[in-house]
Amino acid sequence: MGRGRGVRTYRSEARRYRTVFLTATGAAAALLALNVALLGAVLDSGAAATALAAAPPAAARAAPVASRPAAAERRTTSLPAVPEAGLWTFRGNGRRALSGVGPVPRSKPRIVWRYPSSGGLCSPSADENGTTVWCGVGWTGQPNVIPRRNGRVEVRIGAFDRAYHFLDGATGRRVRPSLPTGDLAKGSATSDPDGFPLFYAGSRDNKLRVVALDRPRPTVLWSLDSHEGGPVVWNDDWDGAPLVVDGHLLVGGENSWFYVVRLNRSYGPGGKVRVRPRVLARVPSWDARLLAVRPDRAFSIESSVSYHDGIAYFANSAGLVQGWDVRPTIRHGKPPRRVFRFWMGDDTDATVVVDEKGFLYAASELERFTERSRQVGQLVKLDPRRPRSPVVWSVPLRRVGWMGKAGAWSTPAVDRRTVYVTTNAGELVAVDRRTGRVRWRIGLSGHVWGSPVVADGVLVQGDCSGALRAFDVRAERRRPRELWSVQLGGCIEATPAVWQGRIYVGTRGGALYALG
């Protein structure tokens, strides 16, 4: 780790990857020569068959780090072990089912650091309501937590000061310069899970960016403007966290389109990472049936795309939940095929969660109070293998809260036999995962948009009073006792990141905090 102009930097990642890739060929050749020599010796001793069975191919032994699939994608349980790639995207893996990695403090933690140490992450931004100053970190806003050498981690976060920030998890100091954007860095970002020094981030300035992190400064290698390739149907922001699957980027935009982008990641001269992206598919988030009931064309995709067994799932702001088979696209560049459709009846900004058995959990807002949303409920468990009658159970979340709206903005958390969700009316709700029966409800302060985080038998949740709370949920059927509460200041709309004894969370008060 080195220093420069007040910025703490890790030893160049480019050096590490350059060494791996530029020596791979030589290593393979050396191993091949060694195998030949070994085989000759074994043949002389009459044990050729044993040697051939025991010796792996040279190419397999010399495979570069970046060729390994991400640990978070290899595991199939809802409570995986510590993933090699860390919390690399919103909710930790492709199924959006990894809440966090324990241990979680069971006694009241202290604030280890605040970023920035003084002042706030603020900037003006304009929308349909005019220009206002936004501060801190908002919905969904979960940091990436990326493991480094010697047990250190890097925390990566977008903020309302129009920048992405890269911080040392132990100290809160910058490990690389911040990346400025043209407007608010909303939502959650994604780090490459396969070992490439790449960062994928959207902004309210219409751009989705692919950023190299092996240069002295974060460097944009490629960007996709939400106005490119077709009409912007609703809005031009990028809120959802992109997902990396088999070298492809799966992402939805507020422009109402779902994209499959082949990244073509590699390394160029000097071992520098490079990408040559190609948009393979651009799929509308609506269809004729939806347009017939929602002529206002509110088809924005604000959720993060989920992925399981070749199917990409997402929802839009008219409440349409869809599943698209992207295997033909990823394997052969052919158009994806829609295999699942379910209409929630109202705005669905929460991300669809997929459990280890392939069931879907979707949560919607209640803004229009339509007959369809009354019939369906606001938290549903769906079986996509039964597309004609997918509802396993549903739960109404009709208590009215902020702005006269009900339902959920938060993404459900699935842990053991329970599903947890928060509501715009300030409720934390626990539901039996098998039956859909509500086990308990706890009232919190203000609208609660941050998603619950559950790890190690502890649920961590922020509320709009600025309190970050922890609850003991080891006994799932009982109403939990509160373990502790820490006042951070400013509404906590963002989802915390829990990683091995530390909690990282931003607030609308203007800062990102580490607790432990």
Side-chain angles (χ1 to χ4, degrees):
M1 188 178 296
R3 297 176 184 269
R5 296 189 179 180
V7 178
R8 181 171 296 185
T9 58
Y10 290 101
R11 187 167 49 181
S12 171
E13 287 179 304
R15 183 182 309 165
R16 174 160 57 98
Y17 285 103
R18 183 171 62 245
T19 300
V20 170
F21 277 82
L22 295 183
T23 59
T25 304
L31 286 168
L32 180 60
L34 179 61
N35 284 345
V36 170
L38 175 62
L39 183 59
V42 173
L43 286 171
D44 288 342
S45 64
T50 303
L52 287 171
R61 291 199 235 174
V65 173
S67 69
R68 297 179 302 178
E73 291 297 326
R74 290 199 303 266
R75 298 185 175 95
T76 57
T77 65
S78 60
L79 295 172
V82 178
E84 295 175 11
L87 297 179
W88 56 276
T89 191
F90 176 64
R91 301 301 289 275
N93 59 21
R95 295 187 292 109
R96 309 293 181 179
L98 177 60
S99 285
V101 174
V104 184
R106 300 190 67 84
S107 58
K108 185 175 181 176
R110 65 184 179 89
I111 297 175
V112 179
W113 51 257
R114 177 192 192 273
Y115 177 83
S117 57
S118 62
L121 303 166
C122 302
S123 70
S125 185
D127 58 18
E128 66 274 14
N129 298 314
T131 300
T132 56
V133 174
W134 298 57
C135 287
V137 181
W139 180 97
T140 53
Q142 186 179 43
N144 294 171
V145 184
I146 309 301
R148 291 301 185 209
R149 294 179 297 278
N150 301 323
R152 302 189 80 89
V153 298
E154 181 178 335
V155 177
R156 301 171 179 171
I157 186 69
F160 290 158
D161 65 339
R162 304 184 176 210
Y164 280 88
H165 304 276
F166 309 89
L167 311 174
D168 186 299
T171 66
R173 297 184 61 185
R174 289 186 297 158
V175 299
R176 59 183 97 240
S178 298
L179 173 68
T181 67
D183 208 327
L184 309 180
K186 294 178 64 183
S188 298
T190 294
S191 298
D192 194 280
D194 301 320
F196 289 92
L198 292 169
F199 183 66
Y200 310 92
S203 171
R204 206 179 197 182
D205 65 0
N206 311 342
K207 298 290 179 59
L208 174 71
R209 295 172 171 86
V210 179
V211 182
L213 300 180
D214 59 356
R215 276 77 162 171
R217 303 183 67 87
T219 302
V220 177
L221 301 182
W222 180 81
S223 65
L224 176 63
D225 193 296
S226 55
H227 293 260
E228 292 179 17
V232 169
V233 178
W234 182 249
N235 197 5
D236 47 17
D237 301 357
W238 298 89
D239 273 8
L243 191 65
V244 180
V245 175
D246 293 334
H248 292 72
L249 206 62
L250 310 181
V251 64
E254 286 198 30
N255 62 2
S256 307
W257 298 88
F258 162 64
Y259 296 83
V260 181
V261 182
R262 181 168 291 160
L263 290 169
N264 294 313
R265 302 167 298 182
S266 64
Y267 289 88
K272 299 292 187 183
V273 69
R274 61 184 179 184
V275 294
R276 294 176 179 172
R278 178 187 171 199
V279 177
L280 299 181
R282 188 174 185 266
V283 176
S285 71
W286 72 97
D287 56 19
R289 281 191 287 169
L290 188 65
L291 186 60
V293 295
R294 288 298 297 269
D296 61 353
R297 298 174 178 261
F299 304 143
S300 167
I301 305 173
E302 298 190 37
S303 60
S304 300
V305 176
S306 306
Y307 178 85
H308 179 65
D309 280 351
I311 312 301
Y313 296 98
F314 59 90
N316 71 12
S317 53
L320 185 62
V321 178
Q322 300 183 66
W324 287 78
D325 187 344
V326 296
R327 287 170 292 188
T329 313
I330 290 175
R331 294 171 183 172
H332 309 294
K334 296 181 179 180
R337 180 173 62 92
R338 192 171 74 177
V339 295
F340 182 74
R341 182 192 193 276
F342 181 79
W343 185 38
M344 296 286 289
D346 212 330
D347 194 345
T348 305
D349 290 337
T351 294
V352 177
V353 176
V354 189
D355 72 15
E356 73 283 358
K357 296 181 180 179
F359 291 99
L360 313 181
Y361 301 84
S364 72
E365 298 150 33
L366 190 53
E367 299 178 326
R368 294 172 173 264
F369 297 88
T370 63
E371 179 63 21
R372 174 67 179 180
S373 61
R374 187 190 67 80
Q375 293 173 351
V376 170
Q378 285 65 59
L379 176 65
V380 298
K381 179 178 181 178
L382 304 171
D383 187 349
R385 291 152 295 209
R386 297 177 359 202
R388 293 183 180 275
S389 57
V391 178
V392 179
W393 50 253
S394 68
V395 175
L397 302 172
R398 299 198 185 108
R399 182 180 171 187
V400 173
W402 189 49
M403 298 188 298
K405 300 177 181 180
W409 272 252
S410 74
T411 295
V414 178
D415 181 74
R416 295 173 293 166
R417 297 180 296 274
T418 308
V419 182
Y420 302 94
V421 70
T422 61
T423 74
N424 189 57
E427 298 173 299
L428 172 61
V429 184
V431 178
D432 185 289
R433 182 174 164 187
R434 184 179 65 85
T435 66
R437 181 177 64 85
V438 175
R439 286 180 168 160
W440 47 260
R441 298 172 186 255
I442 293 176
L444 301 174
S445 181
H447 64 278
V448 183
W449 289 2
S451 302
V453 171
V454 189
D456 196 31
V458 178
L459 184 149
V460 178
Q461 181 67 57
D463 67 23
C464 225
S465 72
L468 186 70
R469 306 177 189 273
F471 298 90
D472 186 344
V473 294
R474 289 177 297 180
E476 296 181 80
R477 298 179 186 275
R478 294 203 304 263
R479 180 185 175 92
R481 67 183 178 92
E482 185 174 306
L483 295 172
W484 50 259
S485 175
V486 176
Q487 187 66 39
L488 298 179
C491 180
I492 303 175
E493 293 178 348
T495 299
V498 171
W499 185 262
Q500 297 184 312
R502 284 279 172 95
I503 302 170
Y504 305 96
V505 63
T507 83
R508 291 298 300 272
L512 175 73
Y513 296 87
L515 295 87

